[in-house]
Amino acid sequence: MDEGTFVGWLKKDGEPVKAGEPLFTLEGDKASQEVEATDSGVLRIPADAAQAGDVVSVGALLGYLVGAMETTAPA
């Protein structure tokens, strides 16, 4: 699979996330898949992030996990 349709976030901006927890859902030609966090932190969703129905490339950056005291994504 090279791209999929973004279905939606399973966590909210500012919500703590643990490694292994599902973050969002992508739909491919044959199935929907929940994509899990590879690390722990606080989820930050940029204003220009994918919206439900957008086609996204696999591996595209959709959001950030930051430390508890950070408010923005790394530069």
Side-chain angles (χ1 to χ4, degrees):
M1 182 166 113
D2 294 326
E3 62 183 19
T5 302
F6 184 78
V7 176
W9 290 99
L10 302 172
K11 297 283 186 176
K12 296 178 183 173
D13 183 61
E15 194 171 351
V17 175
K18 293 182 183 176
E21 286 187 313
L23 284 178
F24 58 89
T25 304
L26 278 182
E27 186 174 272
D29 291 336
K30 299 180 182 179
S32 292
Q33 179 178 359
E34 289 183 348
V35 178
E36 297 177 351
T38 57
D39 206 351
S40 297
V42 176
L43 178 62
R44 293 294 177 204
I45 302 171
D48 61 349
Q51 300 293 311
D54 288 350
V55 175
V56 296
S57 297
V58 171
L61 184 65
L62 302 177
Y64 302 92
L65 290 177
V66 299
M69 301 305 290
E70 295 176 273
T71 58
T72 59

